[in-house]
Amino acid sequence: MPQVLRTVAEVRARVSGWKWAGESVGVVPTMGALHEGHLSLARSARAACDRVVVTIFVNPKQFNSAADLEKYPRTEERDAALLAAVGVDAIFAPAPEEVYPPGFATSVSVAGVSEPLEGAHRPGHFDGVATVVAKLFGMTMADRAFFGEKDWQQLMVVRRLVADLNIPVEIIGCPTVREADGLAMSSRNVRLSEKGRALAPALHRAMQEAAQAMRAGTAAPQALDAARAAVLTAGYEAVDYLELRSADLLQPMERLNGDGRLLAAATLEGVRLIDNIPV
Ligand code: PAF
């Protein structure tokens, strides 16, 4: 079993020892409730680094409601067993007071790329993400950090953060892991009923169809309207956004120019699912 470290002092002592020995260190930040998507990040870290730390911390600062934070699954024992099978060296699972001790007063805010899409629908979410990620980098002192492309906007926010603050960590984006029917793996998928789970791949399907239509010459607004309608017809209650944006800066795009990303968020059975694909 990987050793579970609870304090900043413990993780720093462990990582310092590895670094003194000339070993490279990879970190995989997670909030636990691990699935195959997280494990693929841990495997990428395992393949690229001498030592791997997976952080498990349900970050209160990135939740928009106390109920959501409360509902978030905590499955540390099961997570540790899964990570043992991947061969990670340590799990850093601090208590909230270790990360945010009394008197904590700093917030990291990344302008621009964090503002549209998720940023517009979840005010403050990316400030919470940027703050905790900056802290996790400072705490673990890792050389490389592994993030899933599933949270594409988050990945762009983290890249901007480390560039702007000169944080000496290399950010590695890893491909989205999907179920056989195309649904992007997410800790939220288990909240769907059997019926909802069967309907859920309609989001990814509609996005693929829109991408294909745009490549074949359909104007973007038309292709995107058709995709939104298809998602609602399939049984989703709401589409927060389904948009074509530039991949890195997430600026609105009117037509394909080789650097596009289709990003979507939609709600099914009260469960908000997000996805994105290159176009
Ligand atoms: O992607 C997540 O699980 C979280 O946003 C992260 C990066 C672990 C920060 O809490």
Side-chain angles (χ1 to χ4, degrees):
M1 279 290 190
Q3 195 180 0
V4 180
L5 309 169
R6 301 281 176 197
T7 66
V8 179
E10 281 173 334
V11 76
R12 286 209 158 156
R14 183 51 51 98
V15 172
S16 298
W18 292 333
K19 290 197 159 187
W20 268 104
E23 294 177 314
S24 62
V25 180
V27 66
V28 182
T30 82
M31 298 204 297
L34 303 183
H35 52 67
E36 191 49 39
H38 299 109
L39 299 180
S40 81
L41 299 179
R43 281 191 210 102
S44 299
R46 180 69 289 161
C49 305
D50 297 317
R51 298 289 185 171
V52 177
V53 181
V54 173
T55 69
I56 297 180
F57 179 62
V58 183
N59 175 32
K61 291 205 183 287
Q62 71 186 77
F63 284 81
N64 294 94
S65 88
D68 237 22
L69 171 63
E70 191 64 35
K71 259 199 302 201
Y72 201 86
R74 276 113 170 137
T75 56
E76 193 182 300
E77 259 182 52
R78 182 182 164 275
D79 293 346
L82 292 170
L83 294 173
V86 175
V88 315
D89 296 283
I91 294 170
F92 178 45
E97 314 77 67
E98 181 71 8
V99 179
Y100 302 116
F104 183 85
T106 298
S107 177
V108 180
S109 189
V110 177
V113 75
S114 71
E115 287 164 16
L117 308 170
E118 288 303 288
H121 285 87
R122 303 180 65 189
H125 168 70
F126 283 123
D127 289 358
V129 170
T131 302
V132 82
V133 166
K135 283 181 66 75
L136 291 171
F137 290 161
M139 290 166 168
T140 63
M141 306 180 296
D143 303 297
R144 296 192 190 109
F146 297 76
F147 290 85
E149 290 184 352
K150 154 83 175 12
D151 294 298
W152 182 265
Q153 190 174 7
Q154 170 172 279
L155 178 59
M156 296 306 112
V157 169
V158 171
R159 285 197 193 285
R160 187 77 255 161
L161 165 76
V162 301
D164 288 357
L165 298 187
N166 305 96
I167 300 177
V169 60
E170 183 187 355
I171 304 302
I172 317 277
C174 302
T176 302
V177 180
R178 297 185 181 278
E179 304 285 358
D181 58 13
L183 178 66
M185 287 198 187
S186 162
S187 315
R188 295 176 180 219
N189 294 353
V190 296
R191 293 203 220 151
L192 296 169
S193 72
E194 202 177 319
K195 182 167 169 241
R197 174 62 192 81
L199 297 175
L203 178 61
H204 180 238
R205 209 164 40 238
M207 294 169 75
Q208 279 184 308
E209 283 165 9
Q212 222 167 346
M214 286 188 279
R215 283 192 205 103
T218 305
Q222 221 178 307
L224 298 173
D225 280 348
R228 287 183 207 107
V231 171
L232 294 172
T233 305
Y236 276 76
E237 294 104 67
V239 178
D240 280 354
Y241 58 82
L242 196 161
E243 292 184 22
L244 177 65
R245 296 257 166 176
S246 62
D248 48 357
L249 297 177
L250 299 178
Q251 305 274 18
M253 263 175 88
E254 288 304 312
R255 60 190 67 81
L256 289 188
N257 71 6
D259 173 36
R261 201 93 195 169
L262 205 51
L263 301 106
T267 305
L268 177 63
E269 296 182 332
V271 182
R272 193 168 177 279
L273 301 175
I274 62 170
D275 203 346
N276 71 88
I277 56 172
V279 271

Short mmCIF file of all heavy atoms in Angstrom, two decimals, residues 9 16 40 46-47 49 65 67 69 72 106 108 112 114 220 237 250 265:
data_model
loop_
_atom_site.label_atom_id
_atom_site.label_comp_id
_atom_site.label_asym_id
_atom_site.label_seq_id
_atom_site.Cartn_x
_atom_site.Cartn_y
_atom_site.Cartn_z
N ALA A 9 4.41 18.87 6.35
CA ALA A 9 5.77 18.52 6.78
C ALA A 9 6.11 17.09 6.33
O ALA A 9 7.23 16.85 5.84
CB ALA A 9 5.87 18.63 8.31
N SER A 16 11.53 15.61 -0.38
CA SER A 16 12.91 16.11 -0.30
C SER A 16 13.90 14.95 -0.35
O SER A 16 14.94 15.03 -1.03
CB SER A 16 13.15 16.87 1.00
OG SER A 16 12.31 17.98 1.06
N SER A 40 -5.61 6.34 -15.01
CA SER A 40 -4.78 6.52 -16.21
C SER A 40 -3.80 7.68 -15.99
O SER A 40 -2.67 7.64 -16.49
CB SER A 40 -5.65 6.73 -17.45
OG SER A 40 -6.08 8.05 -17.53
N ARG A 46 3.38 7.37 -13.34
CA ARG A 46 4.24 6.22 -13.00
C ARG A 46 5.27 5.98 -14.12
O ARG A 46 6.44 5.70 -13.87
CB ARG A 46 3.33 5.00 -12.78
CG ARG A 46 3.92 3.68 -12.42
CD ARG A 46 4.51 3.61 -11.05
NE ARG A 46 5.73 4.39 -10.96
CZ ARG A 46 6.30 4.83 -9.85
NH1 ARG A 46 5.75 4.58 -8.69
NH2 ARG A 46 7.40 5.51 -9.86
N ALA A 47 4.79 6.11 -15.36
CA ALA A 47 5.68 5.83 -16.51
C ALA A 47 6.71 6.95 -16.70
O ALA A 47 7.81 6.70 -17.19
CB ALA A 47 4.84 5.68 -17.78
N CYS A 49 7.83 9.33 -14.24
CA CYS A 49 8.56 9.86 -13.07
C CYS A 49 9.10 8.72 -12.20
O CYS A 49 8.52 7.64 -12.16
CB CYS A 49 7.63 10.72 -12.22
SG CYS A 49 6.83 12.03 -13.15
N SER A 65 -21.79 24.98 -3.68
CA SER A 65 -22.78 24.89 -2.60
C SER A 65 -22.30 23.90 -1.54
O SER A 65 -21.60 22.92 -1.84
CB SER A 65 -24.14 24.43 -3.16
OG SER A 65 -24.21 23.02 -3.18
N ALA A 67 -24.08 21.86 0.04
CA ALA A 67 -24.73 20.56 -0.16
C ALA A 67 -23.90 19.70 -1.12
O ALA A 67 -23.71 18.49 -0.90
CB ALA A 67 -26.13 20.76 -0.70
N LEU A 69 -20.69 19.92 -1.67
CA LEU A 69 -19.46 19.53 -0.97
C LEU A 69 -19.74 18.34 -0.05
O LEU A 69 -18.97 17.38 0.01
CB LEU A 69 -18.93 20.73 -0.17
CG LEU A 69 -17.78 20.47 0.80
CD1 LEU A 69 -16.54 20.00 0.05
CD2 LEU A 69 -17.44 21.75 1.59
N TYR A 72 -20.19 15.02 -1.93
CA TYR A 72 -19.07 14.50 -2.71
C TYR A 72 -18.56 13.20 -2.06
O TYR A 72 -18.30 13.16 -0.87
CB TYR A 72 -17.92 15.52 -2.80
CG TYR A 72 -17.03 15.21 -3.97
CD1 TYR A 72 -17.34 15.69 -5.24
CD2 TYR A 72 -15.93 14.39 -3.82
CE1 TYR A 72 -16.56 15.36 -6.33
CE2 TYR A 72 -15.14 14.07 -4.91
CZ TYR A 72 -15.46 14.56 -6.15
OH TYR A 72 -14.69 14.21 -7.24
N THR A 106 -5.49 33.96 1.40
CA THR A 106 -5.05 34.21 0.03
C THR A 106 -5.95 33.50 -0.97
O THR A 106 -6.36 32.37 -0.74
CB THR A 106 -3.60 33.71 -0.13
OG1 THR A 106 -2.78 34.45 0.77
CG2 THR A 106 -3.08 33.90 -1.54
N VAL A 108 -6.08 32.74 -5.26
CA VAL A 108 -5.41 32.89 -6.56
C VAL A 108 -6.50 32.97 -7.63
O VAL A 108 -7.37 32.10 -7.68
CB VAL A 108 -4.48 31.70 -6.84
CG1 VAL A 108 -3.78 31.88 -8.19
CG2 VAL A 108 -3.45 31.55 -5.73
N GLY A 112 -9.27 35.90 -17.51
CA GLY A 112 -9.34 35.50 -18.93
C GLY A 112 -9.87 34.10 -19.10
O GLY A 112 -11.08 33.87 -19.14
N SER A 114 -10.31 31.63 -17.29
CA SER A 114 -11.20 31.02 -16.29
C SER A 114 -12.61 31.65 -16.30
O SER A 114 -13.49 31.21 -15.57
CB SER A 114 -10.60 31.14 -14.89
OG SER A 114 -10.66 32.48 -14.48
N ALA A 220 -20.83 26.93 -38.10
CA ALA A 220 -20.76 26.56 -36.69
C ALA A 220 -22.07 26.82 -35.93
O ALA A 220 -22.56 25.92 -35.23
CB ALA A 220 -19.58 27.27 -36.03
N GLU A 237 -32.07 17.58 -19.31
CA GLU A 237 -32.99 18.66 -18.91
C GLU A 237 -32.50 20.02 -19.39
O GLU A 237 -33.31 20.91 -19.66
CB GLU A 237 -33.07 18.79 -17.37
CG GLU A 237 -33.69 17.63 -16.63
CD GLU A 237 -32.64 16.78 -15.95
OE1 GLU A 237 -31.98 17.23 -14.99
OE2 GLU A 237 -32.50 15.62 -16.41
N LEU A 250 -9.63 29.80 -25.14
CA LEU A 250 -11.08 29.63 -24.98
C LEU A 250 -11.86 30.87 -25.41
O LEU A 250 -12.86 31.24 -24.80
CB LEU A 250 -11.43 29.22 -23.54
CG LEU A 250 -10.80 27.89 -23.10
CD1 LEU A 250 -11.16 27.57 -21.65
CD2 LEU A 250 -11.24 26.75 -24.00
N ALA A 265 -21.50 21.56 -21.31
CA ALA A 265 -21.97 21.15 -19.98
C ALA A 265 -23.48 21.01 -20.08
O ALA A 265 -24.15 21.88 -20.63
CB ALA A 265 -21.61 22.20 -18.93
#
